Amino acid sequence: MVSPLISPKPLKLPGAHVVVTGGSSGIGKCIAIECYKQGAFITLIARDENKLLQTKKEIEKYSVNDKQVVLCISVDVSKDYELVENVLKQAQEKLGPVDLLVNCAGTSVTGKFEDIEVNSFERLMGVNYLGSVYPSRAVISTMKERRMGRIVFVSSQAGQLGLFGYTAYSPTKFALRGLAEALQMEVKPYNIYITVAYPPDTDTPGFAEESKTKVNSSGMLQCV
Ligand SMILES: NC(=O)c1ccc[n+]([C@@H]2O[C@H](COP(=O)([O-])OP(=O)(O)OC[C@H]3O[C@@H](n4cnc5c(N)ncnc54)[C@H](OP(=O)(O)O)[C@@H]3O)[C@@H](O)[C@H]2O)c1
């Protein structure tokens, strides 16, 4: 699932500040839980406040020491760079500089090219691509100053090859790979490592939603 562009030394998670965008559901939530179980301090970013608070409670059950904190930030990662920068600054004031940023917020729309609303192409590029650029851009200077840090981009198997019905989604996930490879060249001298994750179909609330409108190459709704 995970393709490290270069093999770095393992990050020590106990006491680390881990930010997970899309951390209130599915893959992001699982990543947040796994990091928390290993002693990390967690910042969860997503839009829906109730879902964030519910997830915070769920994660806190796995506490390994009484100092651990789960911070929730309700923000749209794709809309306003300055807002994203500002909330991440506040998170760093509370929990320290970000050691690991996992860009997991994302969504999909499937269907035949001509049936997909034009604004869906823009929205998906906004959430899946710019929604990863903005948080990364907001933490990179501090990571460079500290000469340490990790950034993960959650792409998809549909980011490795184009799939039928994924004309709006696949390009947004291909774009992450280009970003990761170019960025890795810039930040390697600063001991910062970029990872691209390419998950296959994974049983999550997002996947269940996508499956309602998935089409196969006969143009039929695909039942999973
Ligand atoms: N599940 C799969 O089969 C699969 C396979 C390959 C890749 N992926 C990728 O893995 C990532 C997670 O997928 P998932 O299936 O776990 O999805 P999910 O269950 O729908 O979770 C998506 C998360 O992203 C947040 N989010 C969505 N749009 C956002 C925005 N504009 N700003 C901030 N947060 C936003 C959601 O919270 P709010 O709605 O409250 O904002 C939620 O926390 C996505 O990037 C997806 O493309 C998934």
Side-chain angles (χ1 to χ4, degrees), residues 103-164:
N103 290 292
C104 196
T107 190
S108 74
V109 170
T110 56
K112 284 198 195 163
F113 184 56
E114 67 274 24
D115 294 338
I116 298 173
E117 297 287 343
V118 170
N119 66 13
S120 294
F121 290 87
E122 291 168 4
R123 186 170 62 84
L124 259 58
M125 197 53 96
V127 179
N128 296 351
Y129 177 66
L130 293 178
S132 294
V133 172
Y134 293 170
S136 306
R137 173 75 167 65
V139 300
I140 201 73
S141 298
T142 307
M143 284 185 174
K144 284 173 88 168
E145 278 162 24
R146 295 174 71 218
R147 294 194 163 263
M148 63 176 290
R150 301 292 167 83
I151 297 178
V152 178
F153 295 111
V154 179
S155 175
S156 165
Q157 286 194 339
Q160 291 180 311
L161 75 170
L163 299 174
F164 189 99

Side-chain angles (χ1 to χ4, degrees), residues 22-27 46-48 51 75-78 104-106 127 154-156 169 173 199-202 204-207:
S24 67
S25 175
I27 295 173
R47 292 163 303 174
D48 183 323
K51 228 165 49 173
V75 74
D76 187 328
V77 287
S78 70
C104 196
V127 179
V154 179
S155 175
S156 165
Y169 179 77
K173 296 297 188 177
D201 283 353
T202 308
T204 65
F207 182 68

Side-chain angles (χ1 to χ4, degrees), residues 149-215:
R150 301 292 167 83
I151 297 178
V152 178
F153 295 111
V154 179
S155 175
S156 165
Q157 286 194 339
Q160 291 180 311
L161 75 170
L163 299 174
F164 189 99
Y166 284 84
T167 52
Y169 179 77
S170 278
T172 68
K173 296 297 188 177
F174 270 71
L176 291 174
R177 178 173 175 171
L179 169 65
E181 288 183 1
L183 181 58
Q184 181 63 89
M185 288 180 191
E186 287 187 27
V187 299
K188 184 169 178 274
Y190 297 88
N191 190 34
I192 299 168
Y193 291 93
I194 314 293
T195 297
V196 186
Y198 296 100
D201 283 353
T202 308
D203 184 9
T204 65
F207 182 68
E209 200 50 41
E210 176 195 303
S211 300
K212 290 179 190 165
T213 59
K214 222 177 209 179
V215 288

Side-chain angles (χ1 to χ4, degrees), residues 52-106:
L52 278 166
L53 292 175
Q54 214 178 312
T55 304
K56 173 180 159 77
K57 278 190 199 152
E58 209 176 309
I59 295 176
E60 282 171 345
K61 288 182 196 149
Y62 298 96
S63 154
V64 290
N65 68 60
D66 55 10
K67 293 195 179 79
Q68 274 181 292
V69 174
V70 179
L71 186 68
C72 294
I73 297 177
S74 167
V75 74
D76 187 328
V77 287
S78 70
K79 292 270 191 268
D80 178 348
Y81 172 70
E82 279 171 16
L83 187 58
V84 173
E85 187 183 49
N86 195 30
V87 294
L88 277 165
K89 196 170 160 221
Q90 287 171 29
Q92 297 191 87
E93 280 163 10
K94 287 187 180 138
L95 300 187
V98 177
D99 296 291
L100 167 63
L101 165 66
V102 182
N103 290 292
C104 196

